Amino acid sequence: MAKKIIKDLLQDALDSSIQQVSGQDATFLYAESPTSPMHIATLTIVEGSIEFNDFKDIVASKIHLIPKFRKKLVNVPMNLDYPYWADDPNFDIDLHINRLKLPDPSNWKTLRDMTSSIFSGPLDLRRPLWSISFIEGLDEVSQVPKGSVAIVSKIHHVMIDGSSGVGIMGILFDKNEEDKSKKTTAPKPYDPDPLPDEMSLLLKSSYSFFKDPLKIPKLVGETAYSLAKGKLNSKINSKKVIHKNSFSTPKTIFNESVSPKRTWGTAILEFDRINTLRKIMEVSVNDLILAICAGGIRRYLEEKEKLPVQPLVANVPISIRVKGEKQKMNNQISNMLVKIATHIKNPIERLEYIQEQTNQGKSRHKAVGAKALSKMADAVPFGLANLAAGLYSKYNIKEFHRPPFNVTITNVPGPQNPLYLKGHKIVGIFGLTPVLDGFGLIIAAFSYNGSVSITTTSDAKTMPDADKFSRYIRESANELEAIILNKGKQKSAEKAKKTKSIPFFNALRKFVNENETIKNQFLGLYDFQLNLDEETTNYQLAIEKEIVSVKKKKTTKPLVKIEIDDMNLLNLYKKNLLLEEIIIQERIKLTGTKKNIEKLLKLLSNFLDNN
């Protein structure tokens, strides 16, 4: 009998279905505190009304494709080792999906406040570490159809990083609008394995140690060799001497204790704008994101008279996933520290400084090896890691040293084609990220379907005015764009200037001419002022009972004056841009009475929808 018990215990210890949390994943688990829940969240705006039960059925039908959604963490007795993922025998999807109604006024501010409240609450560590809030009644959110819904999903960082989060989107959402006709399949049967007992967990951890007792010194040795090799290579290859204090980080208002309440704001930019600037300046998209964020940070700290003389240092996470790992639910990231030139006023000089810093960082990163850096977390004994995390928070150790970095800025590429949920288009995705004591500001850029959302997460103590900070991000992007485009104009000054949006006017004229009802509804003169590099030119749209005409001339008293970049007008016609987007981003200026402006927007929307 005793032999059978021992045999069963050993069999449980060797059970490969119970996976241990990695050292890197555990970092996010043990950084959690009452004021710092360590989950990632996304706010997804779904166009048009979708039934709650339909949504829940979709999640239930696909949950088997995300195994960790039905697993919980089980701890080794006395916390002697990292915990394990095990099937939750009591899993109930109703404990993870909540139905809410957006209170009046059901506008963007109310939605942002509700999202902040949801994000501020911790996940229940006794259950699978995710939750979804289904928010109905987005009736007054600008540029979103009445009755649309929002989905706020929270997933603990111990489970995923940004890239694997994108993988989950690919599972839950559809790539084609036509998929709305597909019948939702019934959930697959769930037959959970029994939870391991404490003795099995102890044996499993002991087996892991005895199987490779030299794991810790081996990892430290490999990493030390890589670091030494990287340092030697950097000395050989670099023309500049890197001083010992080259990453001396200033103390800022972002590096204090955080409060439990989260604040956030977002700025939306067109990817085409960023890509155009990238080509002119011959930098990376990531360099431009860092420069835009640095400009916003500089403005914010200047206003508060808290801008340090030294440049702020950003922690820039880098994905180290290889092909085939994108769907794997875990953390596969390393980090690069970059000075973001907040001490430089000139935006172009700031961008050039950042590019130089990222190039140096990539060289160091490549020399050391991302995998070697990430393995360091696994080389730290569990008890020591857990104790260190607790002591850091309990004794406010951050007050006794300078922070290793001031802000985290992460850039996650998302799907570049529209996603759908039962035929309803996903119109926006915004990523919220965790902050903790000493690191109260994180900025996440996420690209989706031709746009980039730059979302700032902080707390009510560090940044109560996150919406203002997001405005500074937009202003920083506009300032940088204006200067770079001017630089680009100088480069191409020898090229002839030509109106590129002529196809728009030709198609619009034909559309109105062929529709008598529309022609009679929008009678009048409209003036289009097009920005062409350093010049402007005017086109008159004359809608008369007899005929519709377009002439290259300025109209003295138009019903509406439209000011827009020539390329933006062309991209509207080509459907590379949406009318709602350029209005939100203030890339079109309309002058006239409210009634006439609304009439013109109705005409343009009708034309663009039917073109």
Side-chain angles (χ1 to χ4, degrees):
M1 185 70 177
K3 285 184 179 180
K4 185 178 185 305
I5 294 173
I6 294 172
K7 184 178 179 181
D8 289 343
L9 286 172
L10 287 173
Q11 188 63 39
D12 288 342
L14 297 174
D15 184 5
S16 60
S17 67
I18 304 172
Q19 297 294 324
Q20 189 174 35
V21 170
S22 73
Q24 189 177 35
D25 290 347
T27 302
F28 297 104
L29 182 63
Y30 295 104
E32 180 143 336
S33 73
T35 58
S36 299
M38 294 300 291
H39 49 251
I40 299 172
T42 56
L43 167 64
T44 303
I45 309 293
V46 184
E47 187 178 67
S49 178
I50 179 172
E51 294 297 324
F52 171 73
N53 287 332
D54 287 343
F55 171 73
K56 191 168 76 169
D57 288 346
I58 290 169
V59 176
S61 70
K62 296 182 177 182
I63 201 167
H64 65 281
L65 300 172
I66 317 171
K68 281 185 183 175
F69 268 32
R70 293 190 291 202
K71 291 182 181 290
K72 59 182 286 186
L73 289 175
V74 290
N75 294 316
V76 177
M78 297 177 286
N79 286 333
L80 292 175
D81 200 355
Y82 295 124
Y84 288 81
W85 291 109
D87 288 345
D88 181 5
N90 301 311
F91 175 78
D92 185 342
I93 196 169
D94 288 326
L95 296 174
H96 296 268
I97 301 183
N98 309 303
R99 185 179 188 180
L100 302 171
K101 171 72 170 64
L102 190 65
D104 294 329
S106 52
N107 55 24
W108 175 251
K109 183 181 183 304
T110 307
L111 177 60
R112 193 174 68 220
D113 291 344
M114 177 176 274
T115 304
S116 294
S117 178
I118 294 169
F119 185 60
S120 298
L123 289 165
D124 189 341
L125 296 176
R126 299 168 301 175
R127 297 192 179 112
L129 297 177
W130 65 277
S131 73
I132 293 177
S133 297
F134 184 89
I135 305 172
E136 298 172 295
L138 275 64
D139 295 337
E140 300 175 39
V141 178
S142 177
Q143 309 303 321
V144 175
K146 185 176 180 179
S148 294
V149 301
I151 297 168
V152 179
S153 59
K154 298 197 302 186
I155 305 176
H156 203 288
H157 214 328
V158 69
M159 192 185 296
I160 64 166
D161 59 16
S163 294
S164 50
V166 172
I168 291 176
M169 288 182 196
I171 293 172
L172 292 179
F173 301 139
D174 302 318
K175 295 181 180 178
N176 300 298
E177 186 177 6
E178 293 75 22
D179 288 341
K180 64 183 176 183
S181 59
K182 286 169 48 176
K183 187 177 180 181
T184 303
T185 57
K188 288 200 172 184
Y190 175 52
D191 184 20
D193 291 328
L195 287 174
D197 56 40
E198 292 186 344
M199 183 60 70
S200 297
L201 291 172
L202 276 173
L203 285 172
K204 192 171 180 67
S205 294
S206 300
Y207 175 76
S208 177
F209 173 77
F210 286 116
K211 187 173 71 171
D212 191 4
L214 299 177
K215 176 182 177 182
I216 292 173
K218 184 168 66 176
L219 282 173
V220 173
E222 287 176 357
T223 307
Y225 172 75
S226 297
L227 287 168
K229 181 182 175 184
K231 188 173 182 181
L232 181 62
N233 287 343
S234 66
K235 284 185 176 181
I236 294 172
N237 296 327
S238 178
K239 295 180 181 179
K240 296 183 179 180
V241 177
I242 301 176
H243 298 288
K244 184 178 179 181
N245 63 345
S246 62
F247 271 96
S248 179
T249 309
K251 192 83 179 284
T252 72
I253 58 174
F254 307 135
N255 306 117
E256 306 292 340
S257 297
V258 299
S259 62
K261 183 180 178 181
R262 293 293 166 264
T263 59
W264 70 280
T266 193
I268 303 174
L269 306 174
E270 285 303 315
F271 181 78
D272 282 346
R273 294 175 69 189
I274 295 174
N275 201 35
T276 298
L277 305 184
R278 176 192 67 80
K279 290 176 182 177
I280 294 172
M281 293 302 296
E282 298 180 352
V283 297
S284 70
V285 169
N286 205 49
D287 290 340
L288 277 164
I289 296 293
L290 290 174
I292 289 169
C293 293
I297 291 171
R298 178 182 167 88
R299 286 169 184 250
Y300 187 80
L301 292 177
E302 267 190 323
E303 182 199 78
K304 297 183 179 298
E305 299 182 351
K306 298 288 186 180
L307 180 66
V309 176
Q310 295 170 281
L312 269 67
V313 176
N315 169 44
V316 182
I318 299 172
S319 176
I320 56 173
R321 291 178 183 273
V322 297
K323 192 173 182 180
E325 288 185 331
K326 288 186 179 180
Q327 299 295 333
K328 209 170 180 183
M329 283 188 66
N330 60 5
N331 288 276
Q332 292 285 337
I333 52 176
S334 184
N335 300 278
M336 179 172 68
L337 298 182
V338 179
K339 290 182 180 180
I340 54 174
T342 47
H343 62 307
I344 298 176
K345 185 176 183 179
N346 184 288
I348 293 287
E349 292 178 10
R350 191 183 308 131
L351 174 60
E352 290 171 343
Y353 183 100
I354 288 172
Q355 184 190 28
E356 181 182 348
Q357 290 291 309
T358 56
N359 286 341
Q360 289 180 9
K362 288 171 187 174
S363 297
R364 287 194 293 268
H365 200 270
K366 187 176 180 181
V368 172
K371 292 286 186 182
L373 288 171
S374 67
K375 284 181 180 179
M376 279 300 287
D378 289 310
V380 180
F382 171 80
L384 181 60
N386 196 7
L387 178 63
L391 291 176
Y392 189 90
S393 178
K394 182 177 180 180
Y395 293 104
N396 212 15
I397 293 174
K398 68 179 187 327
E399 298 294 338
F400 301 101
H401 68 87
R402 287 180 176 271
F405 55 85
N406 304 110
V407 55
T408 294
I409 303 175
T410 179
N411 179 22
V412 180
Q416 291 312 298
N417 294 307
L419 297 174
Y420 298 88
L421 186 61
K422 206 171 179 59
H424 296 271
K425 185 179 179 181
I426 307 299
V427 296
I429 302 173
F430 311 96
L432 283 73
T433 37
V435 296
L436 62 159
D437 285 344
F439 308 101
L441 176 63
I442 181 165
I443 305 172
F446 182 79
S447 57
Y448 165 66
N449 193 29
S451 65
V452 179
S453 62
I454 301 180
T455 303
T456 302
T457 309
S458 187
D459 67 283
K461 177 185 172 185
T462 304
M463 186 180 281
D465 47 359
D467 53 338
K468 177 188 287 188
F469 181 78
S470 290
R471 188 176 80 238
Y472 289 160
I473 292 285
R474 287 191 291 271
E475 290 175 359
S476 171
N478 292 339
E479 179 187 38
L480 188 62
E481 180 182 47
I483 295 173
I484 291 177
L485 289 180
N486 185 56
K487 188 181 180 76
K489 291 171 190 175
Q490 294 171 3
K491 286 183 178 181
S492 57
E494 68 283 358
K495 295 182 180 179
K497 296 178 178 66
K498 184 179 178 182
T499 305
K500 295 182 173 63
S501 57
I502 294 299
F504 166 89
F505 291 109
N506 291 338
L508 179 60
R509 179 180 58 198
K510 182 180 178 183
F511 173 76
V512 179
N513 260 326
E514 293 175 351
N515 295 271
E516 284 296 322
T517 304
I518 290 177
K519 184 193 296 184
N520 294 329
Q521 189 177 354
F522 298 100
L523 294 173
L525 299 177
Y526 303 86
D527 184 68
F528 286 78
Q529 179 178 301
L530 305 181
N531 300 321
L532 294 162
D533 294 338
E534 297 177 350
E535 297 179 358
T536 60
T537 188
N538 292 74
Y539 282 80
Q540 182 191 83
L541 171 65
I543 302 178
E544 301 169 338
K545 286 188 176 182
E546 297 75 22
I547 194 167
V548 178
S549 64
V550 175
K551 299 176 183 177
K552 190 176 181 181
K553 62 177 290 188
K554 187 172 184 178
T555 307
T556 53
K557 292 184 178 180
L559 290 178
V560 180
K561 180 180 179 181
I562 305 99
E563 296 177 50
I564 186 171
D565 286 347
D566 180 45
M567 282 304 299
N568 286 343
L569 192 57
L570 177 64
N571 281 322
L572 267 179
Y573 172 69
K574 290 183 174 182
K575 300 187 184 301
N576 294 328
L577 289 175
L578 297 178
L579 182 60
E580 294 84 359
E581 292 172 347
I582 66 169
I583 291 172
I584 292 172
Q585 296 162 5
E586 300 179 349
R587 297 166 71 184
I588 184 172
K589 183 179 179 182
L590 304 172
T591 306
T593 65
K594 183 179 179 181
K595 181 179 178 181
N596 287 336
I597 290 174
E598 287 176 351
K599 279 180 61 177
L600 175 70
L601 290 175
K602 185 178 179 182
L603 170 63
L604 292 177
S605 295
N606 201 339
F607 162 65
L608 293 169
D609 288 342
N610 291 281
N611 180 51

